[in-house]
Amino acid sequence: MAEILHLLESKVTELQRAETSQELKLHLRDFRRLWELARVELEYSSVSLDLTLRYEKSVQEYLRLRRRFRDKVAAGIPWVSIVSEVSALAEESQESQDPPSGKTEVIGQEEPELATTDDMHLTSASQVTTAMRDLHVQMVQAVDVSAANSNELASSTTLLESLQEKYFSVEDVLHASKNIMRSLKLNDRKDYYLVISGFGFFVFVVFYLVWKRIVWPIISMFFWFLR
Amino acid sequence: MVLSLNDFIDLRIRQPYKRDELTKFVQDLEQLQLPDLNSLPEITEEEKQIIREDFEYKKARIGLDDAWLEASEPEEPVPILRDTVEILLEVKNFLKKAESYRADDKIHALEKDWNRLSIKEDQTGITPDCIFSMTELVFKKEKEEGNLKLKEIIRERLKLDFKWPSLDGKEYPLTVYKRFADYLRSINAFSIGDFGHPLFLEVFTEPYANQFRYHFMSKRQTNLISKPEWFYEYLLKTFRSLRGFFFNLKKCEAFPSCSLLTVFILMLNDLVKEKLSHTAKFDDYLVHLTHETLHYTVHLKQYFGSNHDYLIDFLFCQPSIYERWLNLETQQMNAKLNDIKSSKDAWDMALNQVNDYNFTVPTKTTVRFRDMMESTYATLRLLPSFNYKVNFFEKVQLEPLQHYVQWLHSFYEAHESSQSEALPGSLQPTRQSKTTDVERMCKLYSNFYHLKEWIDDYEDEEIYIEIGSQYGYKEHSSFFNIKNKIDALKTGSFRLILRAAIQMLQPLINDYADIDTWRIKDQPLNVDFATSSVSSEILKVQNALRTLLKSLENILSGASLREVVYQLGIVVENWFVKIIMSHQFSLRGGIQFARDIMQILLEFSYYPLLTFKKLTSTVELLSLDTGKEMSVKDFIIAIKDEDHQIVDQLLKEKGIELQYAEVLDVLYRRVEAWKD
């Protein structure tokens, strides 16, 4: 992750120093590839706050430079590199200052570049602050979520503990229930066979009576007529 | 016969001069006796108006027969007024001057005099109209004759100094050019000729124009309507060969007011207009003609500093040419798109197009579509005006892109809603490997990925930013609407890859999850301990995972591959954690399970970000052998009693990174936790 971040930051520097629009476009394209790699690495690895801030800063700077380029093209203004723009600003600020005499030095006249660099630092710092604020909000949300998860875990642990106690008592009950079930099953089987055998005996007796009293006399009478 | 002024005016009102009576006109004017101006009275404006109206009435009556009048009114003579005599005097002087200037070849010097004379007006309306028209004709004729003479002189000088028109291929010293330029200035050779260009250039262009007409406008084999690039190449070659000549002339400040080379180019371009008008009637050649004309215009701008979009503007301004061309381009694009869609190898991978920039291997469809769009981008850049560019972008680029995305979207929807559907021209249906579905989804994802990349790169181009700015979209994005759709499809197709991978592995994981021998203390039967100490089911999972990863690595790379593998790793981890949480494990079972998991984690060893911390910690707990000093139950009690010192020491020793609650969850999976 550190390596990719370093590449990202180098690319941002190259973007800032691009002299021509062709060069800028090439660097923009390269940055997008690196950005994708960095995003994936950032999402799936645990990184420190410092790395996250550096990533965020690089991305914001890329977006700013891209917006600057597109705004200039859309407005029909010829694109100039940042270095040229800074130099032009420095020259303008130098021209606008009129020294009262040749000997007196004008305050800040020797440091127009520094002032402009301070502006750039200020811009970068404000961007970092914004990114940090966003990160802080996200971290607060993450903390809330993890606190809720922790509470849930604690309640599930309590539940499992009570379950364990109940299990020990339930085990005996289960054993006794098992015995009862076994005996019940046996009795059920016995009853079943008893009922079946009783029914069978009943059917036999009915059949015997019908044969003896009805069927056999009819058959013997029939044989007597045949004789 | 010498006429009086009255008779002359009267005659020429009734019988104006004809165009072929120039000589007679000059003679009559020469012989015309004009009165002295001072003898003529000055008249007021009102009187002039009255005389004008009377004379108009009189002119209108000319030729009418007054049949019902018994006697015609006697005609009054034409009044001789000062204004009329002044004008006639000026005309006479002008003609005299013209005669003398012609002899000295200075006829062009009379241009100002003529301009002054031509705006004069006889307010009385008496001077015949034909006087001015005949004077103009005389002047023009004199000028033409003068020009012809001058042209001949220029021709001779060119031949003498530069061996023109061959120009001998030689480099002449600057003194020759200077002398030549001075001579031309002295004979006024840079005055505007009959065709509106400097005379010198009218002479200079003649042989090149004749050659052009010979080769490209007559019945020759070089005059092919389908080959506009031939005559454009001829012109460019001519300009290149003469650039040095004109550059040297420019150094001598021969004609400071404009670039001679630019005018020369314009003059030859005028010849091309006729060819353009003729060729543009044929639809079969219009597109090619337009492309060649655009390239020619760009060449002129790049190499000769010509700022004119001369020919292309002329071509597009012809009636309905621009609309027809645009429609033809659109039809061609749609035809190409249909070819791309229906080609047999559309979904084959274009392995020769892989580079470090892309994180997927493109399909042949993608490559062809991209090439198609790039060819239209070249044309878009060359178009002269912004309105042309916007129309071209909408019809020839945006519409086919929308159709293409819609086509891909239909595949996405088919895959999203159903298990699988064969892409046309895809893998052979007979050879279906286990990873077929995953590969299909990777190809679909690759298409969306490359489209998004292409749009992101092109949106940085100036022309698309200008178009986007006109639409007013965010960040001047010209592909704003379609970009969001492609982004969503890219994300969706990424999920489809994961879904296909999960579908491929799920049955094998389920088979593994069905193993219920973890709680047994003895060795179960399904362990292939003859060859290894791992379950046979896990070997199947491992092989499938290996094939899957290899298949993904063949099609994806970089960030795309890593993201898929990381997501897959998380899914696999969750699966195994779920298996753990739905079974009970003895120590033997835990150790067995740990060995099985190691096989899986080996496959992910090339992706160091996948630490599988939760799984490895869980598995560590499952196979934890605390020894005789502390049983699993004791450990559980220690956690519940918050004896963190012992617990932390043990967890740190074993490299377990779980919360206490999670540790308890896992330990309850151990059978030792429930029995003494």
Side-chain angles (χ1 to χ4, degrees), chain A residues 119-143:
Chain A
D119 287 339
M120 286 171 70
H121 283 157
L122 198 60
T123 315
S124 305
S126 65
Q127 286 171 358
V128 168
T129 312
T130 316
M132 282 178 74
R133 279 209 192 105
D134 292 339
L135 202 66
H136 178 256
V137 165
Q138 285 174 18
M139 282 171 75
V140 164
Q141 287 171 0
V143 164

PDB file of all heavy atoms in Angstrom, chain A residues 119-143:
ATOM      1  N   ASP A 119      -0.124  30.081  -0.421  1.00  0.00           N
ATOM      2  CA  ASP A 119      -1.524  29.887  -0.826  1.00  0.00           C
ATOM      3  C   ASP A 119      -1.771  28.440  -1.185  1.00  0.00           C
ATOM      4  O   ASP A 119      -2.786  27.846  -0.835  1.00  0.00           O
ATOM      5  CB  ASP A 119      -1.859  30.785  -2.039  1.00  0.00           C
ATOM      6  CG  ASP A 119      -1.965  32.235  -1.617  1.00  0.00           C
ATOM      7  OD1 ASP A 119      -2.169  32.464  -0.425  1.00  0.00           O
ATOM      8  OD2 ASP A 119      -1.820  33.103  -2.487  1.00  0.00           O
ATOM      9  N   MET A 120      -0.781  27.886  -1.921  1.00  0.00           N
ATOM     10  CA  MET A 120      -0.954  26.500  -2.353  1.00  0.00           C
ATOM     11  C   MET A 120      -0.970  25.589  -1.142  1.00  0.00           C
ATOM     12  O   MET A 120      -1.764  24.653  -1.067  1.00  0.00           O
ATOM     13  CB  MET A 120       0.182  26.097  -3.306  1.00  0.00           C
ATOM     14  CG  MET A 120       0.050  26.707  -4.694  1.00  0.00           C
ATOM     15  SD  MET A 120       1.483  26.451  -5.694  1.00  0.00           S
ATOM     16  CE  MET A 120       1.396  24.714  -5.987  1.00  0.00           C
ATOM     17  N   HIS A 121      -0.075  25.870  -0.188  1.00  0.00           N
ATOM     18  CA  HIS A 121      -0.059  25.048   1.023  1.00  0.00           C
ATOM     19  C   HIS A 121      -1.367  25.183   1.767  1.00  0.00           C
ATOM     20  O   HIS A 121      -1.889  24.215   2.312  1.00  0.00           O
ATOM     21  CB  HIS A 121       1.106  25.475   1.916  1.00  0.00           C
ATOM     22  CG  HIS A 121       2.431  24.965   1.420  1.00  0.00           C
ATOM     23  ND1 HIS A 121       3.622  25.547   1.744  1.00  0.00           N
ATOM     24  CD2 HIS A 121       2.747  23.932   0.605  1.00  0.00           C
ATOM     25  CE1 HIS A 121       4.616  24.902   1.155  1.00  0.00           C
ATOM     26  NE2 HIS A 121       4.113  23.919   0.453  1.00  0.00           N
ATOM     27  N   LEU A 122      -1.863  26.411   1.796  1.00  0.00           N
ATOM     28  CA  LEU A 122      -3.127  26.638   2.510  1.00  0.00           C
ATOM     29  C   LEU A 122      -4.252  25.840   1.861  1.00  0.00           C
ATOM     30  O   LEU A 122      -5.070  25.220   2.545  1.00  0.00           O
ATOM     31  CB  LEU A 122      -3.440  28.140   2.454  1.00  0.00           C
ATOM     32  CG  LEU A 122      -4.457  28.657   3.468  1.00  0.00           C
ATOM     33  CD1 LEU A 122      -3.976  28.414   4.872  1.00  0.00           C
ATOM     34  CD2 LEU A 122      -4.683  30.143   3.257  1.00  0.00           C
ATOM     35  N   THR A 123      -4.255  25.873   0.537  1.00  0.00           N
ATOM     36  CA  THR A 123      -5.292  25.116  -0.181  1.00  0.00           C
ATOM     37  C   THR A 123      -5.171  23.633   0.145  1.00  0.00           C
ATOM     38  O   THR A 123      -6.163  22.960   0.432  1.00  0.00           O
ATOM     39  CB  THR A 123      -5.139  25.310  -1.696  1.00  0.00           C
ATOM     40  OG1 THR A 123      -4.920  26.675  -1.991  1.00  0.00           O
ATOM     41  CG2 THR A 123      -6.366  24.827  -2.437  1.00  0.00           C
ATOM     42  N   SER A 124      -3.931  23.119   0.087  1.00  0.00           N
ATOM     43  CA  SER A 124      -3.732  21.701   0.367  1.00  0.00           C
ATOM     44  C   SER A 124      -4.153  21.402   1.807  1.00  0.00           C
ATOM     45  O   SER A 124      -4.807  20.389   2.070  1.00  0.00           O
ATOM     46  CB  SER A 124      -2.267  21.312   0.196  1.00  0.00           C
ATOM     47  OG  SER A 124      -1.823  21.674  -1.073  1.00  0.00           O
ATOM     48  N   ALA A 125      -3.772  22.279   2.733  1.00  0.00           N
ATOM     49  CA  ALA A 125      -4.104  22.034   4.133  1.00  0.00           C
ATOM     50  C   ALA A 125      -5.613  22.036   4.334  1.00  0.00           C
ATOM     51  O   ALA A 125      -6.156  21.192   5.055  1.00  0.00           O
ATOM     52  CB  ALA A 125      -3.446  23.095   5.018  1.00  0.00           C
ATOM     53  N   SER A 126      -6.307  22.951   3.674  1.00  0.00           N
ATOM     54  CA  SER A 126      -7.775  22.987   3.844  1.00  0.00           C
ATOM     55  C   SER A 126      -8.393  21.730   3.269  1.00  0.00           C
ATOM     56  O   SER A 126      -9.355  21.186   3.797  1.00  0.00           O
ATOM     57  CB  SER A 126      -8.363  24.235   3.189  1.00  0.00           C
ATOM     58  OG  SER A 126      -8.159  24.183   1.805  1.00  0.00           O
ATOM     59  N   GLN A 127      -7.815  21.258   2.154  1.00  0.00           N
ATOM     60  CA  GLN A 127      -8.324  19.998   1.596  1.00  0.00           C
ATOM     61  C   GLN A 127      -8.095  18.848   2.559  1.00  0.00           C
ATOM     62  O   GLN A 127      -8.960  17.981   2.733  1.00  0.00           O
ATOM     63  CB  GLN A 127      -7.609  19.705   0.270  1.00  0.00           C
ATOM     64  CG  GLN A 127      -8.069  20.572  -0.874  1.00  0.00           C
ATOM     65  CD  GLN A 127      -7.207  20.416  -2.097  1.00  0.00           C
ATOM     66  OE1 GLN A 127      -6.231  19.679  -2.077  1.00  0.00           O
ATOM     67  NE2 GLN A 127      -7.532  21.136  -3.139  1.00  0.00           N
ATOM     68  N   VAL A 128      -6.921  18.823   3.168  1.00  0.00           N
ATOM     69  CA  VAL A 128      -6.634  17.752   4.128  1.00  0.00           C
ATOM     70  C   VAL A 128      -7.604  17.846   5.297  1.00  0.00           C
ATOM     71  O   VAL A 128      -8.112  16.829   5.780  1.00  0.00           O
ATOM     72  CB  VAL A 128      -5.176  17.854   4.615  1.00  0.00           C
ATOM     73  CG1 VAL A 128      -4.947  16.958   5.799  1.00  0.00           C
ATOM     74  CG2 VAL A 128      -4.215  17.510   3.491  1.00  0.00           C
ATOM     75  N   THR A 129      -7.870  19.058   5.738  1.00  0.00           N
ATOM     76  CA  THR A 129      -8.806  19.243   6.860  1.00  0.00           C
ATOM     77  C   THR A 129     -10.180  18.701   6.500  1.00  0.00           C
ATOM     78  O   THR A 129     -10.811  18.004   7.303  1.00  0.00           O
ATOM     79  CB  THR A 129      -8.920  20.732   7.228  1.00  0.00           C
ATOM     80  OG1 THR A 129      -7.611  21.278   7.343  1.00  0.00           O
ATOM     81  CG2 THR A 129      -9.680  20.938   8.510  1.00  0.00           C
ATOM     82  N   THR A 130     -10.625  19.020   5.303  1.00  0.00           N
ATOM     83  CA  THR A 130     -11.934  18.521   4.862  1.00  0.00           C
ATOM     84  C   THR A 130     -11.931  17.005   4.839  1.00  0.00           C
ATOM     85  O   THR A 130     -12.880  16.354   5.307  1.00  0.00           O
ATOM     86  CB  THR A 130     -12.252  19.048   3.444  1.00  0.00           C
ATOM     87  OG1 THR A 130     -11.934  20.419   3.351  1.00  0.00           O
ATOM     88  CG2 THR A 130     -13.703  18.829   3.089  1.00  0.00           C
ATOM     89  N   ALA A 131     -10.850  16.444   4.312  1.00  0.00           N
ATOM     90  CA  ALA A 131     -10.772  14.983   4.243  1.00  0.00           C
ATOM     91  C   ALA A 131     -10.768  14.399   5.648  1.00  0.00           C
ATOM     92  O   ALA A 131     -11.418  13.383   5.909  1.00  0.00           O
ATOM     93  CB  ALA A 131      -9.504  14.570   3.486  1.00  0.00           C
ATOM     94  N   MET A 132     -10.044  15.037   6.557  1.00  0.00           N
ATOM     95  CA  MET A 132      -9.995  14.525   7.916  1.00  0.00           C
ATOM     96  C   MET A 132     -11.356  14.602   8.580  1.00  0.00           C
ATOM     97  O   MET A 132     -11.754  13.706   9.328  1.00  0.00           O
ATOM     98  CB  MET A 132      -8.963  15.305   8.740  1.00  0.00           C
ATOM     99  CG  MET A 132      -7.522  14.861   8.443  1.00  0.00           C
ATOM    100  SD  MET A 132      -6.323  15.808   9.356  1.00  0.00           S
ATOM    101  CE  MET A 132      -6.515  15.142  10.986  1.00  0.00           C
ATOM    102  N   ARG A 133     -12.070  15.690   8.309  1.00  0.00           N
ATOM    103  CA  ARG A 133     -13.421  15.823   8.896  1.00  0.00           C
ATOM    104  C   ARG A 133     -14.313  14.671   8.425  1.00  0.00           C
ATOM    105  O   ARG A 133     -15.026  14.038   9.210  1.00  0.00           O
ATOM    106  CB  ARG A 133     -14.041  17.155   8.465  1.00  0.00           C
ATOM    107  CG  ARG A 133     -13.575  18.322   9.263  1.00  0.00           C
ATOM    108  CD  ARG A 133     -14.608  19.431   9.344  1.00  0.00           C
ATOM    109  NE  ARG A 133     -13.955  20.615   9.882  1.00  0.00           N
ATOM    110  CZ  ARG A 133     -13.609  21.683   9.166  1.00  0.00           C
ATOM    111  NH1 ARG A 133     -13.880  21.752   7.897  1.00  0.00           N
ATOM    112  NH2 ARG A 133     -12.989  22.691   9.748  1.00  0.00           N
ATOM    113  N   ASP A 134     -14.246  14.423   7.113  1.00  0.00           N
ATOM    114  CA  ASP A 134     -15.056  13.337   6.554  1.00  0.00           C
ATOM    115  C   ASP A 134     -14.673  12.014   7.207  1.00  0.00           C
ATOM    116  O   ASP A 134     -15.531  11.191   7.557  1.00  0.00           O
ATOM    117  CB  ASP A 134     -14.839  13.227   5.030  1.00  0.00           C
ATOM    118  CG  ASP A 134     -15.395  14.427   4.307  1.00  0.00           C
ATOM    119  OD1 ASP A 134     -16.268  15.100   4.892  1.00  0.00           O
ATOM    120  OD2 ASP A 134     -14.953  14.707   3.175  1.00  0.00           O
ATOM    121  N   LEU A 135     -13.374  11.821   7.341  1.00  0.00           N
ATOM    122  CA  LEU A 135     -12.884  10.583   7.934  1.00  0.00           C
ATOM    123  C   LEU A 135     -13.362  10.457   9.366  1.00  0.00           C
ATOM    124  O   LEU A 135     -13.736   9.361   9.812  1.00  0.00           O
ATOM    125  CB  LEU A 135     -11.355  10.604   7.879  1.00  0.00           C
ATOM    126  CG  LEU A 135     -10.678   9.231   7.944  1.00  0.00           C
ATOM    127  CD1 LEU A 135     -11.039   8.457   6.697  1.00  0.00           C
ATOM    128  CD2 LEU A 135      -9.183   9.420   8.038  1.00  0.00           C
ATOM    129  N   HIS A 136     -13.353  11.552  10.069  1.00  0.00           N
ATOM    130  CA  HIS A 136     -13.794  11.539  11.464  1.00  0.00           C
ATOM    131  C   HIS A 136     -15.255  11.115  11.554  1.00  0.00           C
ATOM    132  O   HIS A 136     -15.632  10.286  12.401  1.00  0.00           O
ATOM    133  CB  HIS A 136     -13.589  12.925  12.076  1.00  0.00           C
ATOM    134  CG  HIS A 136     -14.062  13.003  13.494  1.00  0.00           C
ATOM    135  ND1 HIS A 136     -15.246  13.630  13.857  1.00  0.00           N
ATOM    136  CD2 HIS A 136     -13.545  12.509  14.640  1.00  0.00           C
ATOM    137  CE1 HIS A 136     -15.419  13.528  15.162  1.00  0.00           C
ATOM    138  NE2 HIS A 136     -14.407  12.865  15.672  1.00  0.00           N
ATOM    139  N   VAL A 137     -16.060  11.666  10.676  1.00  0.00           N
ATOM    140  CA  VAL A 137     -17.481  11.300  10.668  1.00  0.00           C
ATOM    141  C   VAL A 137     -17.637   9.801  10.413  1.00  0.00           C
ATOM    142  O   VAL A 137     -18.403   9.107  11.087  1.00  0.00           O
ATOM    143  CB  VAL A 137     -18.219  12.132   9.589  1.00  0.00           C
ATOM    144  CG1 VAL A 137     -19.573  11.546   9.289  1.00  0.00           C
ATOM    145  CG2 VAL A 137     -18.328  13.568  10.033  1.00  0.00           C
ATOM    146  N   GLN A 138     -16.867   9.313   9.439  1.00  0.00           N
ATOM    147  CA  GLN A 138     -16.956   7.883   9.122  1.00  0.00           C
ATOM    148  C   GLN A 138     -16.503   7.042  10.304  1.00  0.00           C
ATOM    149  O   GLN A 138     -17.093   5.992  10.588  1.00  0.00           O
ATOM    150  CB  GLN A 138     -16.086   7.578   7.905  1.00  0.00           C
ATOM    151  CG  GLN A 138     -16.691   8.048   6.588  1.00  0.00           C
ATOM    152  CD  GLN A 138     -15.744   7.874   5.419  1.00  0.00           C
ATOM    153  OE1 GLN A 138     -14.790   7.124   5.505  1.00  0.00           O
ATOM    154  NE2 GLN A 138     -15.997   8.594   4.353  1.00  0.00           N
ATOM    155  N   MET A 139     -15.447   7.501  10.961  1.00  0.00           N
ATOM    156  CA  MET A 139     -14.948   6.724  12.102  1.00  0.00           C
ATOM    157  C   MET A 139     -15.976   6.704  13.216  1.00  0.00           C
ATOM    158  O   MET A 139     -16.158   5.665  13.869  1.00  0.00           O
ATOM    159  CB  MET A 139     -13.638   7.334  12.601  1.00  0.00           C
ATOM    160  CG  MET A 139     -12.440   6.951  11.712  1.00  0.00           C
ATOM    161  SD  MET A 139     -10.981   7.864  12.126  1.00  0.00           S
ATOM    162  CE  MET A 139     -10.491   7.074  13.628  1.00  0.00           C
ATOM    163  N   VAL A 140     -16.630   7.815  13.433  1.00  0.00           N
ATOM    164  CA  VAL A 140     -17.671   7.851  14.476  1.00  0.00           C
ATOM    165  C   VAL A 140     -18.766   6.845  14.146  1.00  0.00           C
ATOM    166  O   VAL A 140     -19.238   6.090  15.006  1.00  0.00           O
ATOM    167  CB  VAL A 140     -18.237   9.283  14.593  1.00  0.00           C
ATOM    168  CG1 VAL A 140     -19.551   9.273  15.342  1.00  0.00           C
ATOM    169  CG2 VAL A 140     -17.229  10.188  15.281  1.00  0.00           C
ATOM    170  N   GLN A 141     -19.152   6.845  12.892  1.00  0.00           N
ATOM    171  CA  GLN A 141     -20.192   5.884  12.484  1.00  0.00           C
ATOM    172  C   GLN A 141     -19.714   4.452  12.699  1.00  0.00           C
ATOM    173  O   GLN A 141     -20.469   3.594  13.178  1.00  0.00           O
ATOM    174  CB  GLN A 141     -20.539   6.105  11.007  1.00  0.00           C
ATOM    175  CG  GLN A 141     -21.332   7.348  10.755  1.00  0.00           C
ATOM    176  CD  GLN A 141     -21.469   7.665   9.274  1.00  0.00           C
ATOM    177  OE1 GLN A 141     -20.956   6.945   8.429  1.00  0.00           O
ATOM    178  NE2 GLN A 141     -22.146   8.748   8.964  1.00  0.00           N
ATOM    179  N   ALA A 142     -18.459   4.202  12.323  1.00  0.00           N
ATOM    180  CA  ALA A 142     -17.911   2.847  12.479  1.00  0.00           C
ATOM    181  C   ALA A 142     -17.873   2.452  13.952  1.00  0.00           C
ATOM    182  O   ALA A 142     -18.166   1.305  14.310  1.00  0.00           O
ATOM    183  CB  ALA A 142     -16.511   2.781  11.871  1.00  0.00           C
ATOM    184  N   VAL A 143     -17.534   3.410  14.805  1.00  0.00           N
ATOM    185  CA  VAL A 143     -17.488   3.119  16.238  1.00  0.00           C
ATOM    186  C   VAL A 143     -18.882   2.771  16.747  1.00  0.00           C
ATOM    187  O   VAL A 143     -19.064   1.819  17.515  1.00  0.00           O
ATOM    188  CB  VAL A 143     -16.894   4.334  16.999  1.00  0.00           C
ATOM    189  CG1 VAL A 143     -17.201   4.229  18.475  1.00  0.00           C
ATOM    190  CG2 VAL A 143     -15.400   4.410  16.765  1.00  0.00           C
TER     191      VAL A 143
END
